Amino acid sequence: MSEMVFQTNLERKIIENEEFLNKAESLLPVLNESYITPIQLVEVLPNKKKIHGWEVRSRDSVEQLSKMDFGKGDQVILDFGEHLVGYVTINITPVGSPPDAPLHLKLTFGEMPIEVAEDFSTYNGVISSGWLQEEVVHMDILPGILKLERRYSFRYMKVEVLATSPKYKVQFQKVVCKNVSSADLTAVSKLEHADEMLQRMDQVSIKTLVDCMQEVFEDGPKRDRRLWLGDLRLQALANYATVKNNDLVKRCLYLFAGTPDDQGRLAANLFIQPSVIADDTYFIDYSLFFMDTLVDYFHETNDLVTLTDLWSIAFKQIENSLQFLDSNYLFKGEGFFAFIDWAEGLHKETATQGILIYVMKKALSVAHLVNKSHKLLLEETIPLLVEASKKYLWDSEKQLFVSGPTKQISYASQVWMVLAGVLSAQKAKETLEKLPSTDAIEPATPYMYHHLVEAYLVAGDRESALDRMKTYWGGMLEDGADTFWELYNPKNKSFSPYGHHLINSYCHAWSCTPTYLIRKYNM
């Protein structure tokens, strides 16, 4: 299992910018609602050939549900036919004698079959079991309508009757989910692709994005339900290619810009309720991506007001990052923390160096519009960073970039140097071609796989890009994904950096980018 790092920065002080937070509040979206009912009753059975060892089989038509009586110990699993994010209502009617005791129910929600198959008491991961989706309720008055106040992210719902009394049973007359999203699908241009897998990949990507679009771009509607900067950057790209809710991107940018700490740092993520709260976790790569997301937003909208408003706080992230460089213009392993990927044992210095160059070049593309002194600083510093990368991080014998004291070779190091334009397109292509024949640390998440695929495309290797997409996201499709997952390792399908795959998110923002890649690069 990869090491989990929990950061705490209890001494930091948040300096709220009320003007920016008010602008963000003015952009609060109205959630679109649709009402979805289950399509069938199912059973979940062991099958070692299926992912996580479980498969779903049809049991009865959904029309049979209202005719079925449920007493103590009875249960039913409902399949809604698609991934949903919303609020469940159940009409419940007693059968037999007048109810002489409360109805005691347990409801379990699953994005995947395993979540309604395995007992949550078996969970022993490092993330709180509070994220496991279940609810135990009592109903004192029957007949009645059970309205769950908590929002759930699911396709399957298991209803268990923990207790009635010997005198009565119950029937579930109507079950409905109020599905919510701030996305408007009418804005999406239809894609007619000759390749059926890419067509399906595009659709599932959009569904993943839409279900994560709530009052902000959430990283996952099951877990963590937060606004993460790394996820936001990728969601914004997919959004521009599809649903085009650019005001939601703008809202998220202002939320981050409104909550820096006293060092000008932007937190890696924000909590949105009960009020906007900056988490005490700081990733140098995520903070840099605020500039990247801002520049992408400007290129998409030509909104010079927002670019000008947020430029100073965006540039501050670059200035903060430069403080971690040594006299050779290199990141060292101490003093900074970057996410990059969940790959176990990954040395992150070289990938972070590439990200800094990449973001500074992005900033330079618009700096002339907002700040000439910053433009000069970028023009002077970028060549020094590129030269240092070639001089100290490039292994001329291996013809690959290395990272850390062990001179580790990883996909992440090569990918970010390619995306940063440190190598020519031909040299970038040759570098990426070498990786499969080495013992390089491989990507562990869809987040890193996105960057790998885009690096192939930037290097002009369309064939490798397609192959990776079909192996990776196509593998998820073949394993039953109707939204793309937070984590997927084709060689170890139970992989979780959290210690247990029950807690993994199976609708996750950083996995939604195939639609962007397919549409932008005409794949």
Side-chain angles (χ1 to χ4, degrees), residues 461-522:
D461 190 351
R462 185 184 180 87
E463 182 178 347
S464 293
L466 273 169
D467 179 67
R468 285 288 183 166
M469 287 179 70
K470 289 188 172 184
T471 300
Y472 196 70
W473 282 276
M476 283 191 242
L477 292 176
E478 291 172 356
D479 280 326
D482 51 8
T483 52
F484 286 129
W485 308 332
E486 174 189 18
L487 299 154
Y488 182 66
N489 184 342
K491 299 176 183 178
N492 175 16
K493 295 182 180 181
S494 293
F495 168 69
S496 173
Y498 316 123
H500 203 299
H501 48 267
L502 263 177
I503 208 74
N504 291 359
S505 166
Y506 294 96
C507 174
H508 212 75
W510 69 20
S511 307
C512 74
T513 56
T515 185
Y516 158 77
L517 296 166
I518 291 166
R519 289 166 183 254
K520 177 179 178 179
Y521 293 97
N522 296 314

Side-chain angles (χ1 to χ4, degrees), residues 19-20 23 250 253-254 294 297-298 301-312 369-370:
E19 178 187 354
F20 289 173
K23 283 192 176 184
K250 182 177 178 179
L253 288 169
Y254 274 102
L294 176 61
Y297 169 80
F298 172 73
T301 64
N302 293 314
D303 181 353
L304 185 59
V305 172
T306 297
L307 179 67
T308 304
D309 271 357
L310 305 186
W311 176 264
S312 293
L369 297 172
V370 284

Side-chain angles (χ1 to χ4, degrees), residues 268-286:
N269 67 90
L270 303 178
F271 301 92
I272 306 303
Q273 297 293 343
S275 60
V276 180
I277 303 169
D279 192 16
D280 58 350
T281 297
Y282 294 87
F283 298 157
I284 195 169
D285 48 340
Y286 275 30

